[in-house]
Amino acid sequence: MGLEGHDNSKIMMHDCCNIPTTEKLTMIKAEDVQLEAETVWGAMHGLETFSQLVYVIDNELMVPADIYIEDGPIFPHRGVLLDTGRNYFAPRDIMRLIRAMSYNKLNVFHWHVTDSHSFPIVLPSEPELANKGSYGSKMQYSPAVVRAIVEYGMSHGVRVMPEIDTPAHTGSWAGAYPDIITCEDTFWLPSGSDWVDRLAAEPGTGQLNPLNPQTYEVVNNMIKDTVSLFPENFFHAGADEVTPACWKTDPSIQKFLSNNSTLNEILELYINRTYPYIRSHNRTVVYWEDVLLDSAIHVDESTLPKETTILQSWNNGSNNTKRIVSAGYRAIVSSADFYYLDCGHGAFMGNDSRYDKQLGDDEGVPFNYKGGSGGSWCGPFKTWQRIYSYDITHGLREEEAKLVIGGEVALWAEQADPTVMDAMIWPRASAMAEVLWSGNRDENGNKRFAEAIDRLNEWRYRMVGRAIGAEPLQPLWCVRNPGMCNFVQ
């Protein structure tokens, strides 16, 4: 789409202006305000900057005078991931998210379209995947709808990066193609089994069988249709959380392993068959870090060309980012320790007796009470302060830091749907947006928390005024009494 690296703009305002609210903003003369940008995307961000300089004070529209702003982002990739495979989000909700992203100068909508729970996108070559894998005909994204969302993103300076996660997280494919899916429609954690023997990372089982030739007929059709619908240069192919026990339930895989072969070889077979096909469509391939770093099933570095592969980190904070870039790969940072917006809401699974504690947890096993996670594997809740504090190149040498192209906050949808989307994303994603655009430190290298809250709080009200349901950060009293709600004056 050609949106990468074209966000810079310059704004100059001279001798300007208090404008009564009864008058139009166009009263500002052209010679009073100048905006320069190399691309329409930079101009769009410049106009957004200008809009944020306008205030209403005592019923007057106020614009500051004698200002020169030369602006551009630190990181070219600044995104939000939304999972529409676990719960359905209507096109209007996705477009509202894209619009809010544009307000925040975020430029990549990472659309995690499908998962084991549903397959909502209608692919012309494989319509049965949606017909039998979605939650219903009214919870599908037709090609026309997808194109409309992509075009809406383009008009707002937001690239739409698709993710069709494979070979794991594919249980929803089984309705159309049961022969290419292993361990589908089974209970994810069999009674009496250890965690290592789970059939999926969470309820919703099913993984593609890389030993079945039909798998590649279906996957190649999926890739062909997806790249035709999404002109974005990045194709996210998933490859996370491949579970050994699920593959081991299949007789053909059992036979393969009995001949001194390994699960790593099965994953390498899958990557070697699908990676070149994605590349043949002139796409850079994005995978989750698991494809290289997972302790149970992973591929060798030689399988993934560094020039055309990007790895997205989500585990172990800066440690895994370090492992990715030290191996020579570009990285997108989405650390669950900082950037997972769904964390802290407890587990979504029922029939869990660990919650049945009235006074405290078992000694040495915090869960629901004294210091426990409350059932959220990535708890606690990631506050705006937590997000704002994160330096995504922490611990990296200068040459390694250059391989970090940016970051994404993620809203996984086990416990999210359109009714809570705005509040779960905003304004916490705004905290990341500022850090990835201009950093979280002042000219002396100190974290700028004190000034950030006033900016973020005021910005939250601006978003609400633009019909984005961002959650409140402070009482209104704090806005009207600047500085009085700080921890240290």
Side-chain angles (χ1 to χ4, degrees), residues 467-483:
I468 305 300
E471 70 175 0
L473 296 177
Q474 292 180 325
L476 181 60
W477 185 86
C478 298
V479 179
R480 295 182 174 182
N481 296 270

Side-chain angles (χ1 to χ4, degrees), residues 12-25:
M12 290 155 278
M13 293 191 293
H14 311 286
D15 302 323
C16 193
C17 302
N18 294 346
I19 307 171
T21 54
T22 55
E23 302 294 331
K24 295 183 179 179
L25 189 61

Side-chain angles (χ1 to χ4, degrees), residues 2-42:
L3 304 187
E4 304 99 320
H6 300 290
D7 296 315
N8 295 31
S9 63
K10 298 179 183 178
I11 297 177
M12 290 155 278
M13 293 191 293
H14 311 286
D15 302 323
C16 193
C17 302
N18 294 346
I19 307 171
T21 54
T22 55
E23 302 294 331
K24 295 183 179 179
L25 189 61
T26 51
M27 283 185 63
I28 298 176
K29 298 177 182 179
E31 60 267 25
D32 291 330
V33 182
Q34 298 177 32
L35 171 62
E36 297 179 6
E38 293 183 4
T39 68
V40 65
W41 320 118

Side-chain angles (χ1 to χ4, degrees), residues 48 99-106 426 429-430 433 459 463:
E48 180 60 46
R99 189 171 72 252
M101 290 177 62
S102 181
Y103 298 155
N104 285 268
K105 302 182 184 178
L106 294 168
W426 309 108
S430 305
W459 174 237
M463 283 197 289

Side-chain angles (χ1 to χ4, degrees), residues 365-378:
V365 190
F367 178 77
N368 192 39
Y369 190 61
K370 296 180 180 178
S373 67
S376 175
W377 72 269
C378 58

